[in-house]
Amino acid sequence: MNLRTLLWFFISLLIVPEILAESAPDTSGFDIKYLRLELNASDTSAFISGKAVCKSLITHDLQNICFEFSEKYLVDSVLVNHFPASWMHQNNLLNVYGHFTADDLFESEIYYHGNAGGSGFFSGITNKKDAQWNIPVTWTLSEPFAARDWFPAKQVLSDKIDSSEVILTVPPWCMAGSNGVLAGVDTLPDKRVRFHWKSHYPIAYYLISMAVANYQNYTLYARPYGLDDSLPVVNFVYNIPSLLESSKKDIDRTKDFIEYYSALLEGYPFPDEKYGHCLAPMGGGMEHQTMTTLSNFGFLLVSHELFHMWFGDMVTCASWSDIWLNEGFASYGEYLALNHFEGKESADAWMSQAHAFAFAMPEGSVYVPPEEADNVYRIFNYNLSYKKGAAILHMLRMETANDSVFFKALRDYLQRFKYSVASVNDFINTFQQVTGKDWQYFFEQWYYGSGYPVVQIEWQQIGNHLLLNIQQHGSSSKTPVFRFSLPLTFYYPGGDSTVTIRIDQAEQSLAINFPRRITGIAADTESDVLAKVTVIPMDTSGKYLLIYPNPAARKVALDFYTKDVNRTITVISLSGQVIGKLNSRESHLELDVSHWTPGVYVVMVTENNIRYAARFVIP
Ligand SMILES: [Zn+2]
């Protein structure tokens, strides 16, 4: 799912309290095998009528089967195994009564009609005119809790519907898009048209969809990895010739995206069916399985929703706390596509912007705690689930430092949990097995932890010795110290070179042997690391500090030229070892160095906003 950020903040400020889900109803005791929706719909209203047919396996004896279903619908009748059943529809729950015995299969048919149309992004069913093209559209968006706004649903992620059909009867000027393959299009005696969509792939309740409008069909064909036949990419575009003409270039890119992603991940998840798009003025997109609904064909939106076919649709997050597996990954799909098709600089710029979104939430975690996992605005927090989520997946790749291993781990994860659900722990376990490494620390700090590291690096060069004085703190006190690798680029006359250092303490000093005269240092020039880093050259001109005698055999005196200020004074050896550290306001200090090992020592001082250093020698 992807929605415009500004719209996001606007809505979230206004209507967070109303949108919180009620406590979860008990829809357990049965396992949905098959769902068929037969609905009359139109582009002029969100009114629908028809029936939902559901075949389920009873998993333990029940007196009633419970579906979530909006009270805005009137239930006309309910049949169980073709016989009328009693039912109760209240509090957005539909209870169907009977004697349901474990291991029995049962079929429910629920006839209903009504209009539950809403206007927010998370409204389950919406009718709205596309203002730019003056085309009315009715579309659904069930994620995360709104399937019940258009059909009686078991809104449980772990119970995928094994196969499904969506049969939509619409006015003569309309087309209706949905999941799977188009098994038939029939014109009824009254001229209405019936679109029969059918899928045999397991599907999460929130990925079932429909979109109805005056569309034209523009189909192209991709050749995904491992598929002998070509895969149709069905596009339901508003029936305006100039719109199709001007969109073709963007739509056609879908083919390239499918081929790239399927090569990377070794296969397309729904090869027997299709991929597709239905336009709708939703202000973003939604990755309905094999038929994304979206408001435009922009590069990032199309690539994001397509990447969800692997991460979100084929493998669905096991709970809404695990939303990173959907949105963090789909967002990283944008980065991957940019890098592949537009070049590294575009991808770096994307990641830099993702970091800016993450920096805006210094207390935020990617992990959604269970107590917040019923709040749609927390689940789909753009800064955290999407942008920080993508940034940490990228860092996992960087820390793996081996793309073939990293992508093999992603493929193994997909294979292990295909057509099912996975938790973040499932992902971590798979990742650890494939890489043969313990990644707990990584997930503790970046995924479960809060915020990001704020790092200050002071440097100076003495001959071939580059001395770095590194301090970090977490943007949140909940995660005070991070362990990570940070690339530093050293600039020298005539060139530059990059060295990756390991930061793993609140304070540390490093000495690097570097034979050229460094004129400047920049951190993380390719935006790989989610850290706010400041690099400060130390003043070594001598205007702040005099050290004497030098060389010094027994005592060394430090005279500071600034008065009445707090200073942090660190003495390190040329190998980067910290010899001592103190805080002082004295402008004159003496150190007893009579027992120190002969060598060169550096005094580094932090004082308000100035950093300076001087050295002395013990012969
Ligand atoms: Zn998404």
Side-chain angles (χ1 to χ4, degrees):
M1 192 194 297
N2 207 334
L3 71 169
R4 287 194 304 250
T5 317
L6 285 177
L7 176 73
W8 176 273
F9 285 120
F10 181 66
I11 299 172
S12 62
L13 287 173
L14 287 179
I15 50 171
V16 169
E18 283 79 10
I19 210 93
L20 296 176
E22 296 132 30
S23 61
D26 183 7
T27 53
S28 66
F30 64 107
D31 172 11
I32 297 191
K33 297 294 180 190
Y34 165 81
L35 174 70
R36 184 170 78 246
L37 301 178
E38 294 184 40
L39 298 173
N40 303 301
S42 85
D43 60 343
T44 51
S45 150
F47 178 89
I48 52 175
S49 64
K51 67 173 173 176
V53 179
C54 196
K55 292 181 185 171
S56 306
L57 176 70
I58 303 294
T59 53
H60 60 253
D61 291 358
L62 294 170
Q63 301 302 313
N64 65 296
I65 299 286
C66 181
F67 295 100
E68 295 189 56
F69 193 35
S70 167
E71 283 168 17
K72 290 179 181 163
Y73 291 101
L74 277 178
V75 175
D76 301 308
S77 63
V78 176
L79 304 182
V80 170
N81 296 332
H82 310 293
F83 290 99
S86 60
W87 45 272
M88 169 101 68
H89 188 200
Q90 61 181 20
N91 301 327
N92 296 316
L93 298 176
L94 175 65
N95 276 293
V96 177
Y97 297 98
H99 294 287
F100 301 100
T101 310
D103 300 326
D104 278 359
L105 280 167
F106 83 98
E107 179 181 293
S108 57
E109 274 177 86
I110 298 161
Y111 290 79
Y112 62 98
H113 68 275
N115 186 336
S119 56
F121 189 85
F122 293 102
S123 148
I125 183 165
T126 307
N127 175 264
K128 190 178 165 187
K129 189 173 277 188
D130 187 304
Q132 188 183 358
W133 301 101
N134 201 31
I135 294 273
V137 187
T138 299
W139 76 92
T140 61
L141 191 157
S142 305
E143 192 182 25
F145 309 120
R148 67 175 192 184
D149 286 353
W150 67 289
F151 66 91
K154 179 181 172 185
Q155 302 193 133
V156 173
L157 289 166
S158 56
D159 187 5
K160 284 201 172 178
I161 300 157
D162 298 48
S163 65
S164 59
E165 290 178 84
V166 178
I167 302 167
L168 300 163
T169 302
V170 297
W173 59 87
C174 284
M175 295 176 71
S178 186
N179 319 97
V181 294
L182 190 54
V185 181
D186 299 307
T187 302
L188 305 187
D190 64 2
K191 299 278 198 295
R192 288 184 305 154
V193 189
R194 189 168 59 202
F195 288 79
H196 184 167
W197 293 93
K198 198 170 182 176
S199 174
H200 75 261
Y201 289 105
I203 184 169
Y205 69 88
Y206 74 89
L207 294 170
I208 298 261
S209 71
M210 70 167 192
V212 178
N214 180 3
Y215 288 126
Q216 58 188 314
N217 177 2
Y218 171 60
T219 296
L220 52 131
Y221 294 87
R223 292 300 294 264
Y225 173 96
L227 196 63
D228 292 334
D229 290 335
S230 51
L231 181 84
V233 183
V234 176
N235 297 280
F236 280 14
V237 182
Y238 304 145
N239 192 9
I240 298 169
S242 64
L243 169 61
L244 179 57
E245 275 317 304
S246 62
S247 304
K248 266 186 182 168
K249 211 169 131 246
D250 289 339
I251 298 173
D252 290 353
R253 223 165 22 206
T254 313
K255 168 187 185 296
D256 304 326
F257 290 154
I258 289 175
E259 290 169 2
Y260 167 58
Y261 287 155
S262 67
L264 196 63
L265 302 170
E266 296 186 357
Y268 173 71
F270 312 106
D272 301 338
E273 297 184 351
K274 72 170 192 307
Y275 187 60
H277 296 115
C278 288
L279 270 185
M282 68 200 307
M286 176 64 213
E287 65 274 20
H288 296 125
Q289 192 160 302
T290 71
M291 191 63 133
T292 283
T293 311
L294 43 57
S295 55
N296 63 73
F297 293 102
F299 183 107
L300 297 179
L301 188 56
V302 169
S303 57
H304 177 107
E305 305 306 343
L306 173 62
F307 210 55
H308 270 308
M309 293 303 115
W310 289 263
F311 299 98
D313 291 14
M314 181 170 78
V315 179
T316 304
C317 56
S319 79
W320 296 111
S321 286
D322 301 303
I323 190 64
W324 177 60
L325 298 171
N326 289 21
E327 297 304 348
F329 283 59
S331 299
Y332 195 53
E334 300 173 37
Y335 172 93
L336 292 172
L338 273 181
N339 187 50
H340 187 78
F341 294 104
E342 305 280 306
K344 181 77 165 63
E345 272 185 29
S346 300
D348 288 350
W350 185 97
M351 191 57 79
S352 173
Q353 195 190 43
H355 288 173
F357 275 105
F359 289 153
M361 311 272 315
E363 294 291 329
S365 69
V366 178
Y367 173 61
V368 179
E371 62 272 20
E372 295 185 78
D374 59 355
N375 178 344
V376 294
Y377 295 103
R378 177 60 187 91
I379 300 169
F380 298 101
N381 183 298
Y382 194 68
N383 301 60
L384 298 176
S385 298
Y386 291 69
K387 298 301 184 177
K388 187 178 178 187
I392 70 169
L393 184 57
H394 182 65
M395 281 193 288
L396 185 61
R397 178 182 171 192
M398 291 294 113
E399 297 265 313
T400 306
N402 183 330
D403 269 3
S404 67
V405 170
F406 175 80
F407 287 106
K408 181 179 189 312
L410 296 196
R411 290 194 297 270
D412 279 19
Y413 159 77
L414 289 170
Q415 280 308 309
R416 196 172 292 188
F417 299 100
K418 67 180 172 185
Y419 309 121
S420 182
V421 296
S423 67
V424 169
N425 268 337
D426 291 329
F427 176 80
I428 296 172
N429 289 338
T430 307
F431 202 81
Q432 295 194 142
Q433 281 166 20
V434 174
T435 58
K437 283 187 191 163
D438 182 352
W439 292 96
Q440 288 301 331
Y441 83 93
F442 181 94
F443 288 93
E444 283 302 325
Q445 64 190 23
W446 293 117
Y447 176 73
Y448 293 105
S450 299
Y452 45 83
V454 179
V455 182
Q456 183 174 287
I457 300 174
E458 300 157 355
W459 68 273
Q460 62 171 308
Q461 192 175 19
I462 297 170
N464 287 351
H465 298 274
L466 173 67
L467 298 176
L468 303 173
N469 195 31
I470 303 162
Q471 296 172 53
Q472 66 150 316
H473 65 270
S475 65
S476 165
S477 58
K478 290 179 209 148
T479 310
V481 175
F482 288 76
R483 289 164 60 188
F484 59 101
S485 298
L486 182 71
L488 294 180
T489 302
F490 304 145
Y491 298 93
Y492 49 82
D496 61 76
S497 61
T498 297
V499 170
T500 296
I501 61 168
R502 189 72 181 165
I503 297 180
D504 53 12
Q505 294 162 45
E507 295 186 32
Q508 63 194 101
S509 295
L510 281 178
I512 296 169
N513 191 39
F514 197 82
R516 296 168 191 269
R517 187 173 58 81
I518 294 172
T519 54
I521 297 178
D524 191 27
T525 54
E526 298 183 358
S527 298
D528 289 326
V529 184
L530 181 64
K532 270 191 179 168
V533 184
T534 314
V535 181
I536 305 166
M538 298 200 120
D539 186 297
T540 53
S541 64
K543 69 180 172 186
Y544 297 105
L545 171 62
L546 175 67
I547 300 182
Y548 60 92
N550 190 4
R554 292 165 51 209
K555 268 189 183 173
V556 65
L558 312 179
D559 275 3
F560 297 94
Y561 296 149
T562 50
K563 306 295 175 200
D564 294 325
V565 288
N566 285 316
R567 300 181 189 88
T568 302
I569 302 158
T570 310
V571 182
I572 66 171
S573 70
L574 269 193
S575 62
Q577 189 196 354
V578 176
I579 309 298
K581 184 164 187 164
L582 75 156
N583 291 307
S584 168
R585 291 177 70 86
E586 300 296 326
S587 57
H588 178 84
L589 289 172
E590 289 188 5
L591 303 177
D592 179 357
V593 296
S594 52
H595 300 294
W596 291 23
T597 312
V600 178
Y601 292 86
V602 181
V603 179
M604 301 195 296
V605 185
T606 302
E607 173 187 307
N608 294 332
N609 290 323
I610 41 175
R611 272 101 190 141
Y612 52 90
R615 61 184 154 144
F616 63 92
V617 176
I618 298 179

